[in-house]
Amino acid sequence: MRLRLPSGRTLVLALPFLWLSLFFLAPFLIVAKIALSEAALGIPPYAPVLRWTDEGVLTVVLNLGNLATLFSDPFYFDAYLRSLRVAAISGLLCLVIGYPMAYAIARAPEHRRNLLLMLVVLPFWTSFLLRVMAWIGLLADNGVINNLLLAAGVISQPIQLLYTDFALYAGIVYCYLPFMVLPLYATLSKFDPVLIEAAADLGARPWRAFLTITLPLSLPGIIAGFMLVFIPAVGEFVIPELLGGPGAQLIGRVLWMEFFTNRDWPMAAALAMVLLLLLVIPIAWFQHMQGRASR
Amino acid sequence: MQQANIARPGSAEPWRDPEAEPYVRVINVTKRFGATVAVDDVSLDIYRGELFALLGGSGSGKTTLLRMLAGFERPDSGRIMLDGQDMADVPPYERPVNMMFQSYALFPHMSVEQNIAFGLKMDGLPRSEIRDRVAAMLELVQLKGFEKRRPHELSGGQRQRVALARSLVKQPKLLLLDEPLGALDKNLREQTQFELVTIQEKLGITFIMVTHDQEEAMTMATRLAVMNHGYLAQVGTPAEVYEYPQSRFVAEFLGTANVFEGLIKAEGPTGALIESTEFDAFFQSDTDPPKPEGARVFVAVRPEKMRIRRADVGENAGTNRLVGTVRDIAYYGDFFMFVVALPEGKSIRVSRPNLARLTELPITWDDRVAVEWEPFATVVLPE
Amino acid sequence: MTPAPTARRRCLLGGLAAVLLTLPPLAAAQAQALNVFNWNDYIDPAVVERFTRETGIAVRYDVFDSLETLEAKLLAGRSGYDIVVPTNEPSFSRLIAAGALQPIDRAQVPNWANLDPVLMKQLETSDPGNRHGAIYLWGTIGLAYNVGRVRELAPDAPTDSWRLLFDPTLARRLAPCGIVMMDSQIDVIPSVLRYLGLNVNSTAEADLRRVEQTLMGIRPHIRTFASGGVIELLASGQACLAFTYSGDAIQAADRAREAGRGVDIRYVAPKEGAQLWFDVLAIPRDAPNPNAAHRFINFLLQPDVMAAITNTVHYPNAVPASKPMVEEAIKNDRNVYPTEEDFARFFTVTAVPQAAERARSRLWARFKAGR
């Protein structure tokens, strides 16, 4: 019998699966395994799921306690909820700010578009951490904004900007805005402005034309942009930590606390797993919407 | 001026009636884009029920004029009146004017039905009325059964009809059509030309159509305006403009014309005699010349109005006669086009209907031929 | 001596930056090198150079600025470090319990004899028998305050007591000039327990409830939870009262003096008792180069080396013989080298079980959130 090599087609198809199983499935299973084990003092700081008993029998010891705690303790639920809310508000703010930007770029003269797009992406050329730190310099009690307001005589005492929800949203919106603008631009640049004329011609006032034509047709870009902001913002740790107020116990912070302060790796892993599942739902919805749009 | 006798049956030709009130009035309208003058002091009267064509090449200003009628552009100066109302401050969404776009501009996220209903919805009409009027339109454009389709699920011709239905459903006072047949292939285009005319006559809506296709303009329009570099070169019925071009540009733009140069030799009550400055020949016309004696003019003669025959031995050019050598014969199926080289170096075109099937032509390549025409075929144009 | 670049910040984000910036050393590639993982700005760089010069062992020196970072790395295993410097509680004791540290072979560390037996005795609460580590530097956790501002806002306030911070009426009066809380539950909660006269290692629910009540009472008056930057806030006059490490407070005082804007910062280890901490030289169990690690510990425990380090970072060491070589200003500062009577009021803590740790985390989270 001859050994048949897999055909090129099979290989091409197998490649993404291999990639996904290596870099997504495998890490996920590791996290899942840790989530289902029990915390212990040792290296690593959790008990193995697979254990040999004294009689030489391999046993699986699953600890569902972490997941149970997660769902029974409102502390975690609140943190998830707060994170989802912060991410959703950030996504909406990015949309409100990013949409006019993307629209303006898409309508700008062709030779200027690339420059404008480059300006949107420009912040990525510097370190993320540095950019967040720069906001501290802007918002601190003796920061640029307060000093300017003081100098202008608008205020007599520095107003608290840093470590507030305002700072938190400013940071997230600032950092994630390009992720909103770029997909929106991609959709809006494909949008034929003659459709707006057609709508106007048929009696639609500008605002109505926007709502009935432009907005629905840019929905794929809106969803893509929102997801690109929302998903990372849910687990965002650095920005709330650096800019947000102490009241903002977001899930990223809780996860950090479980992992580092409590050294409860299984709990942290369980938190991460649930976070992932929380994000899979909107992503699946997004895919569904995209499928519908391209049909 | 002699009148062409091929007016559409039933059309009253209101433009000939000095008492008639124009429906659309374009009065001294000028529009500039930066340094270029897109529309240059254009005045135009269009009457109710007309199918008026704006004909011109690209950059002639015809589309800009159409867009000003729709309200997408504002004239820099001049006025546009519709049914007695000044349109200057009326935004597009309030004008009783609809437009069929060259690209159709159908809303891709809406079904055929929704596309057609859009304008009625914007007017806030009751649901039942919208339904009825959309159904009537679908019937008119023969798209029953396609209500739920999306634009990308339709053929080009079907899309064109959706666009037409959408622009007609509001029963506008004026329908603007931007190259309405431009995106269709040739066969469909001819068929659709007649459909459009039929629909227009049935609804009695005034149409203004922009086209670069002279055939389209000639076959469909009640009147047409030839535009060039933003100004109106000539306005008239298709036959008038074709038979009596008033400028070299119009003569050459509409159909084919052989154009010669000459000086007015004599003028009289029965026409003009023009001496060619290019050949040893004279041109006799049966109309009065536009210029006094001695003036330089152009003379245009259409190829189909010329006769071609073998030249007699020793025959030379004379009055309304030129002699040359056949350089080329183009077979178009329904007619032949001869290219005749004159000894002075100029070439003229002469067409001859294909009256018999592939019989031996009496004239062939390199034959010495005489080309003649009657005085009525000589069109004298100012320089 | 140039301004000492000491800062011993248990800063969460600094920790993050350290995780991002310092990759574990490639153990195999650097078999001969010594891999040190220490707090940032916590050594005299000349000392490291001298070690390499004398022994020929190259030193790869990485820094962390939170215990969490250090512990996470060691508990993950194969950190690749030969020398780590955990704080006695909770990290050092917990790393011992997790089996993450190897016993030190005293035969290879003759200078062990230089260590102060009194301090080493204190350390035994974390490491019975002192088998796993030698004290590197030590200090207390107390209050740093701006003398002028506090006198102005609360002239009658007892500046030698935890009441200055934990008494809500005083905190309210001082709030306008800026109160900064250290964002570290492992440091703050035992001090509150002590202030309340309770067992500093208590895990009792009732005790923690009282701690929470105390903290919540002053929560409205706290301007910021500092993740680093306390020195700057104090020295610039943006804060007038801070719960902080002795070294940071001294550092802030130095800087304020240099700025010359009349800001006078003082440190106090409150009379009710201040938590004593020791940063300990220890060797991970899987250290690639334990021999070099032992030699490094032995090298550091020389009196002149330790004196150089103390002179640089302004923290006291545990080698009494170094004291003659320590600069006068540092040596005579009661805040750096406490008197014996001060020392009697200091306390150490032991690690609490994980469940209690979580309860404390929760308490801390609620405190920060203010609800």
Side-chain angles (χ1 to χ4, degrees), chain A:
Chain A
M1 213 168 97
R2 274 200 324 156
L3 193 75
R4 275 189 54 203
L5 285 169
S7 68
R9 201 179 122 82
T10 316
L11 274 177
V12 166
L13 284 178
L15 215 61
F17 283 101
L18 202 73
W19 176 272
L20 280 178
S21 33
L22 208 63
F23 294 109
F24 182 76
L25 194 61
F28 178 77
L29 288 177
I30 292 171
V31 170
K33 188 194 91 173
I34 298 174
L36 293 173
S37 63
E38 214 166 339
L41 210 49
I43 304 175
Y46 54 89
V49 169
L50 299 173
R51 246 179 281 187
W52 296 97
T53 60
D54 295 339
E55 295 86 40
V57 180
L58 186 69
T59 55
V60 181
V61 184
L62 288 183
N63 171 28
L64 297 174
N66 292 321
L67 289 170
T69 316
L70 248 179
F71 288 110
S72 59
D73 190 335
F75 178 79
Y76 299 107
F77 182 77
D78 286 350
Y80 277 124
L81 212 63
R82 211 169 297 124
S83 298
L84 291 175
R85 202 182 58 216
V86 165
I89 292 174
S90 303
L92 288 177
L93 287 173
C94 280
L95 179 63
V96 169
I97 299 169
Y99 201 102
M101 280 173 75
Y103 194 89
I105 297 173
R107 294 284 160 273
E110 202 135 350
H111 62 275
R112 219 173 289 157
R113 271 185 232 165
N114 279 338
L115 176 76
L116 291 171
L117 281 178
M118 208 185 73
L119 289 176
V120 169
V121 184
L122 201 66
F124 286 129
W125 294 7
T126 58
S127 147
F128 166 75
L129 217 52
L130 207 66
R131 280 181 285 137
V132 179
M133 296 289 189
W135 273 96
I136 298 179
L138 282 175
L139 300 173
D141 281 1
N142 60 345
V144 176
I145 293 175
N146 266 318
N147 281 344
L148 278 177
L149 290 177
L150 283 170
V154 181
I155 49 172
S156 56
Q157 279 279 316
I159 42 172
Q160 168 132 30
L161 296 169
L162 195 58
Y163 311 125
T164 60
D165 278 358
F166 168 76
L168 170 68
Y169 286 116
I172 296 181
V173 168
Y174 164 75
C175 287
Y176 288 104
L177 195 59
F179 294 110
M180 178 62 84
V181 172
L182 293 180
L184 273 177
Y185 166 76
T187 317
L188 286 171
S189 64
K190 278 185 282 178
F191 176 79
D192 185 354
V194 81
L195 293 179
I196 290 300
E197 287 188 346
D201 185 66
L202 292 165
R205 285 162 180 282
W207 191 235
R208 193 101 191 260
F210 174 78
L211 289 178
T212 49
I213 308 295
T214 317
L215 201 62
L217 284 174
S218 51
L219 203 58
I222 293 175
I223 295 171
F226 187 82
M227 288 294 141
L228 284 177
V229 174
F230 178 80
I231 291 169
V234 172
E236 181 58 53
F237 170 71
V238 175
I239 299 171
E241 205 53 42
L242 282 176
L243 302 178
Q249 282 289 323
L250 301 181
I251 198 65
R253 181 70 175 86
V254 172
L255 211 152
W256 193 97
M257 198 178 78
E258 288 297 342
F259 190 86
F260 286 97
T261 313
N262 296 346
R263 293 161 323 282
D264 190 342
W265 289 24
M267 194 62 186
L271 276 165
M273 223 172 69
V274 172
L275 182 64
L276 182 75
L277 293 176
L278 267 178
L279 294 180
V280 160
I281 295 164
I283 294 170
W285 177 70
F286 173 51
Q287 291 290 351
H288 170 75
M289 289 297 287
Q290 276 222 317
R292 239 179 52 173
S294 63
R295 200 161 39 81

Side-chain angles (χ1 to χ4, degrees), chain C residues 7-351:
Chain C
R8 188 172 169 287
R9 281 166 228 155
R10 296 180 179 184
C11 140
L12 196 70
L13 276 142
L16 178 95
V19 172
L20 292 176
L21 299 175
T22 65
L23 296 165
L26 296 169
Q30 297 276 343
Q32 271 319 107
L34 175 75
N35 297 296
V36 178
F37 199 32
N38 196 359
W39 292 91
N40 59 341
D41 295 331
Y42 208 42
I43 201 161
D44 178 1
V47 161
V48 180
E49 282 164 32
R50 192 178 136 194
F51 173 73
T52 303
R53 211 164 45 239
E54 286 180 9
T55 61
I57 299 171
V59 176
R60 285 179 46 114
Y61 195 89
D62 280 352
V63 296
F64 58 88
D65 45 20
S66 82
L67 285 173
E68 285 89 348
T69 311
L70 171 69
E71 273 191 70
K73 276 200 174 187
L74 289 180
L75 290 178
R78 297 190 184 280
S79 65
Y81 293 113
D82 300 303
I83 291 281
V84 290
V85 192
T87 302
N88 61 324
E89 290 302 338
S91 299
F92 179 52
S93 64
R94 200 148 54 201
L95 288 170
I96 296 168
L101 300 176
Q102 58 174 277
I104 289 175
D105 179 7
R106 297 231 187 127
Q108 292 188 57
V109 188
N111 287 333
W112 193 276
N114 294 342
L115 284 163
D116 183 341
V118 179
L119 290 173
M120 289 304 283
K121 183 80 194 151
Q122 289 273 1
L123 184 61
E124 284 206 52
T125 55
S126 302
D127 179 21
N130 288 131
R131 294 177 60 231
H132 296 91
I135 296 173
Y136 176 57
L137 298 173
W138 59 279
T140 55
I141 308 171
L143 295 173
Y145 63 99
N146 182 320
V147 178
R149 298 289 279 147
V150 168
R151 189 175 299 143
E152 183 184 322
L153 291 169
D156 53 334
T159 52
D160 58 346
S161 164
W162 284 118
R163 278 185 55 212
L164 193 60
L165 176 65
F166 294 135
D167 183 336
T169 54
L170 283 174
R172 187 165 46 78
R173 287 160 68 189
L174 293 172
C177 68
I179 298 176
V180 181
M181 178 56 85
M182 180 192 287
D183 188 6
S184 170
Q185 65 191 64
I186 57 176
D187 291 319
V188 178
I189 292 173
S191 296
V192 183
L193 284 165
R194 181 70 171 211
Y195 163 69
L196 294 171
L198 301 167
N199 174 5
V200 292
N201 297 315
S202 175
T203 58
E205 220 175 291
D207 292 353
L208 288 180
R209 225 181 349 259
R210 287 191 59 194
V211 169
E212 187 165 349
Q213 274 166 9
T214 306
L215 289 173
M216 284 300 183
I218 61 163
R219 178 66 186 85
H221 313 307
I222 292 170
R223 179 168 291 177
T224 310
F225 283 79
S227 308
V230 191
I231 296 172
E232 183 53 38
L233 288 173
L234 285 168
S236 66
Q238 287 188 75
C240 68
L241 180 59
F243 184 108
T244 190
Y245 302 109
S246 50
D248 279 6
I250 294 157
Q251 174 75 22
D254 282 355
R255 211 175 284 179
R257 210 170 11 256
E258 281 155 25
R261 281 191 294 187
V263 174
D264 181 11
I265 301 295
R266 253 177 233 172
Y267 174 77
V268 62
K271 63 183 180 197
E272 294 90 345
Q275 184 178 338
L276 196 57
W277 52 262
F278 304 99
D279 284 337
V280 181
L281 295 165
I283 307 173
R285 177 166 297 275
D286 52 8
N289 200 351
N291 284 334
H294 279 93
R295 287 181 74 176
F296 190 63
I297 293 174
N298 193 50
F299 170 79
L300 288 180
L301 293 181
Q302 298 173 87
D304 55 332
V305 172
M306 267 305 172
I309 293 170
T310 294
N311 284 336
T312 306
V313 301
H314 293 207
Y315 281 102
N317 61 60
V319 176
S322 72
K323 215 166 172 184
M325 286 169 274
V326 172
E327 287 167 25
E328 286 297 314
I330 298 170
K331 191 160 48 183
N332 297 333
D333 188 335
R334 230 175 105 177
N335 290 319
V336 182
Y337 280 97
T339 61
E340 257 175 60
E341 98 191 67
D342 287 338
F343 201 83
R345 298 197 316 266
F346 296 161
F347 64 90
T348 56
V349 294
T350 57

